[in-house]
Amino acid sequence: MNCLIAFACAPGRTASDFSSKGHNGLFTWHLLQHIKKPNKDIRSVLTDVAMDVYNETKDDEMPQEPWINCSLKVHNIFLNSTSHLGNEKISHVLKNK
């Protein structure tokens, strides 16, 4: 089974609902910045989001660390692709399961 779940913070921790950059929470704000970058695999997107969230909160008493659970068995899953290659690969894998 292919599954990816991204959480705004680690288990047992609390996510910031505030971002000085907009009306979304910190995780969502950074996700929206990275998700629109073309030809970037979803794992890379979420890693960049996690790094930005952590870097923005690292001086806090309890820095926010996004948490990702992933059991994907394919590469190149693009949410914003200028090519259909990545989406064709995932469609093919999912159809043949």
Side-chain angles (χ1 to χ4, degrees), residues 13-57:
R13 303 292 288 272
T14 303
S16 171
D17 288 333
F18 173 76
S19 173
S20 60
K21 299 172 177 98
H23 62 276
N24 293 306
L26 189 60
F27 177 84
T28 303
W29 190 89
H30 284 289
L31 179 62
L32 291 172
Q33 302 313 301
H34 288 283
I35 209 165
K36 58 188 171 188
K37 294 180 181 174
N39 301 323
K40 198 159 182 190
D41 181 74
I42 185 62
R43 282 169 261 197
S44 295
V45 167
L46 292 172
T47 297
D48 290 347
V49 170
M51 287 188 318
D52 287 352
V53 169
Y54 177 78
N55 286 333
E56 192 167 326
T57 62

